[in-house]
């Protein structure tokens, strides 16, 4: 199969025509990897699969929405795009804008963006500003700018973003041969859970999938507005990607959870970091902390007996671990320095 990206592959389900110039980095068709050790840790004969979205061109799921948002911006004659971001959206917007020959403006919370993501936005040539404020303030500002200036907003309030992100649900069904019983996913600005649910429903209506999953979202305990049903003015969590106190797609996410008979739950930073290490050490999959929230949620909800025995679960692992090397170094023990002799190295290795 020649893979030409999600828009080409799922064209029939997307709002494109012959006049749409498709801007792609051949995103999508990411691995759906079985995770036997994670399943074993929960028990109950569960089957657990990881949708590894870190394998996308810029290392996160954002590329699925960005290919479509940038293509449609180009079709509409836009010359520049704009976003607020906790990092991944800005990395993806910068790369696809570069590919399209558009300018990209990015507003990120100062000191709260992982180093890999910031370096991506910069090397792709985006105009990056560090805001003295959090993501929620940044989003409010870029929304106001887009109302009066000739720039296209590419945050997930741009409907093409979620249209593109829906393709992940189509892929899960195509790879698994059916919809899973549960789909577990981290929730920040609440766009992705909304997109998956729409994707599963559309595939179901089109006769491509017999069933529908329950959508289960996980927020970090210090940044859990949907769980607590209130805006969190100063969200806090090690998972900087989902450090959001007032999600843009809040109501749509609540609807997705209600309609699918799922739920939203909080996981602590400690649980997130434990799952982060578990995925890396037991499954060989390196994700960023926000992505580990889904695995932390699996372990927590599993212990609570929320999944019936034998159920099939898919977890979206939203971003690659290399995005945030500082978190990895912080979660592991520092390697000791040794003299350059065979004896010293053998002694230090305990061999
Ligand atoms: N995981 C990662 C790695 C993310 O970057 C994000 C969101 C999410 C999960 C949550 O997805 O917002 O659709 O609920 N990152 C955005 C950004 C906010 O700016 O990169 P969501």
């Amino acid at each position: 199969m020649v893979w030409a990206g999600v828009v080409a592959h799922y064209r029939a389900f997307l709002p494109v025509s012959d006049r749409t110039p498709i801007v792609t980095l051949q995103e999508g068709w990411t691995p759906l990897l079985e995770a036997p050790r994670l399943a074993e840790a929960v028990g109950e004969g569960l089957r657990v699969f990881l949708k590894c979205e870190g394998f996308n061109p810029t290392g996160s799921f954002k590329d699925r929405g960005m290919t479509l948002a940038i293509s449609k911006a180009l079709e509409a004659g836009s010359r520049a795009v704009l976003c607020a971001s906790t990092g991944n959206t800005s990395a993806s917007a910068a790369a696809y804008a570069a590919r399209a020959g558009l300018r990209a403006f990015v507003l990120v919370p100062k000191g709260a963006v992982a180093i890999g993501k910031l370096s991506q936005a910069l090397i792709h040539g985006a105009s990056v500003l560090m805001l003295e404020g959090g993501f929620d303030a940044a989003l409010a500002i870029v929304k106001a700018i887009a109302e009066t200036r000739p720039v296209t907003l590419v945050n997930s309030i741009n409907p093409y973003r979620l249209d593109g992100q829906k393709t992940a649900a189509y892929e899960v069904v195509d790879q698994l041969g059916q919809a899973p019983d549960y789909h577990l996913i981290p929730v920040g600005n609440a766009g992705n859970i909304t997109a998956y649910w729409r994707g599963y429903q559309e595939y179901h209506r089109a006769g491509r999938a017999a069933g529908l999953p329950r959508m289960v979202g996980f927020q970090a305990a210090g940044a859990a507005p949907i769980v607590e049903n209130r805006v969190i003015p100063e969200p806090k969590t090690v998972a900087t990607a989902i450090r959001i106190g007032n999600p843009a797609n809040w109501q749509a996410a609540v609807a997705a959870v209600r309609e699918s008979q799922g739920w939203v739950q909080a996981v602590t930073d400690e649980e997130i970091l434990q799952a982060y290490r578990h995925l890396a050490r037991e499954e060989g999959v390196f994700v960023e902390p926000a992505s580990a929230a889904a695995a932390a949620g699996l372990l927590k909800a599993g212990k609570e007996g929320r999944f019936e025995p034998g159920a099939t679960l898919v977890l979206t692992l939203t971003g690659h671990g290399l995005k945030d090397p500082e978190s990895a170094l912080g979660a592991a023990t520092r390697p000791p320095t040794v003299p350059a002799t065979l004896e010293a190295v053998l002694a230090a290795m305990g061999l």
Side-chain angles (χ1 to χ4, degrees):
M1 172 175 61
V2 177
W3 184 261
V6 296
V7 178
H9 194 77
Y10 293 109
R11 203 179 171 87
F13 292 90
L14 297 172
V16 290
S17 73
D18 294 345
R19 291 182 309 281
T20 315
I22 307 301
V23 181
T24 180
L25 292 167
Q26 299 190 351
E27 62 295 312
W29 207 253
T30 54
L32 184 72
L33 192 65
E34 187 150 17
R37 298 215 176 80
L38 203 51
E40 213 173 281
V42 183
E44 306 287 350
L46 299 183
R47 289 198 75 190
V48 175
F49 295 85
L50 309 173
K51 183 64 171 156
C52 300
E53 290 287 275
F55 286 69
N56 277 300
T58 77
S60 85
F61 70 96
K62 305 288 181 179
D63 296 343
R64 295 178 181 279
M66 211 52 77
T67 178
L68 189 60
I70 298 287
S71 297
K72 295 301 281 188
L74 205 58
E75 182 181 358
S78 178
R79 308 291 304 277
V81 298
L82 165 73
C83 68
S85 182
T86 56
N88 282 322
T89 298
S90 62
S92 187
Y96 282 81
R99 184 88 185 165
L102 300 176
R103 284 196 73 181
F105 294 95
V106 162
L107 194 57
V108 296
K110 186 174 191 300
V113 173
I115 198 82
K117 304 173 187 180
L118 191 58
S119 54
Q120 287 177 289
L122 293 170
I123 198 68
H124 287 303
S127 302
V128 179
L129 291 176
M130 314 284 268
L131 188 74
E132 292 175 329
F135 172 84
D136 300 295
L139 185 60
I141 291 170
V142 296
K143 269 167 119 175
I145 295 172
E147 276 170 21
T148 59
R149 298 294 190 278
V151 289
T152 304
L153 192 64
V154 293
N155 280 106
S156 58
I157 33 190
N158 177 327
Y160 299 124
R161 279 278 315 279
L162 296 195
D163 279 338
Q165 285 174 210
K166 286 187 305 196
T167 60
Y170 307 157
E171 279 178 26
V172 167
V173 172
D174 289 343
Q175 291 171 314
L176 202 59
Q178 62 186 59
D181 298 311
Y182 296 87
H183 193 110
L184 281 63
I185 186 166
V187 173
N189 214 21
N192 214 24
I193 190 170
T194 305
Y196 268 93
W197 178 235
R198 287 186 189 158
Y200 279 122
Q201 286 177 297
E202 283 172 16
Y203 233 41
H204 180 62
R205 277 200 293 271
R208 304 279 190 106
L212 286 167
R214 290 176 196 250
M215 299 302 304
V216 187
F218 296 96
Q219 297 196 295
I226 300 179
V227 175
E228 295 183 26
N229 195 26
R230 66 180 180 100
V231 171
I232 308 294
E234 293 205 5
K236 288 190 183 59
T237 168
V238 288
T240 52
I242 53 172
R243 190 164 161 186
I244 294 174
N246 188 13
N249 290 290
W250 190 326
Q251 293 317 320
V254 168
V257 165
R258 189 187 56 240
E259 288 164 19
S260 71
Q261 295 165 28
W263 67 91
V264 185
Q265 194 172 351
V267 284
T268 64
D269 278 3
E270 203 176 304
E271 290 165 337
I272 289 172
L273 290 174
Q274 205 181 332
Y276 176 63
R277 284 188 291 262
H278 181 105
L279 283 169
R281 291 182 188 191
E282 308 285 328
E283 302 288 0
V285 180
F286 184 24
V287 300
E288 61 171 290
S291 308
L298 166 67
L299 295 167
K300 188 170 197 168
K303 281 195 194 95
E304 293 168 3
R306 296 239 204 173
F307 307 112
E308 66 274 9
T312 299
L313 287 71
V314 170
L315 277 60
T316 299
L317 300 182
T318 47
H320 201 286
L322 288 171
K323 293 269 189 179
D324 187 358
E326 286 171 335
S327 286
L329 292 171
T333 40
R334 291 266 166 175
T337 301
V338 289
T341 67
L342 179 61
E343 295 72 28
V345 172
L346 282 173
M349 286 179 168
L351 292 174

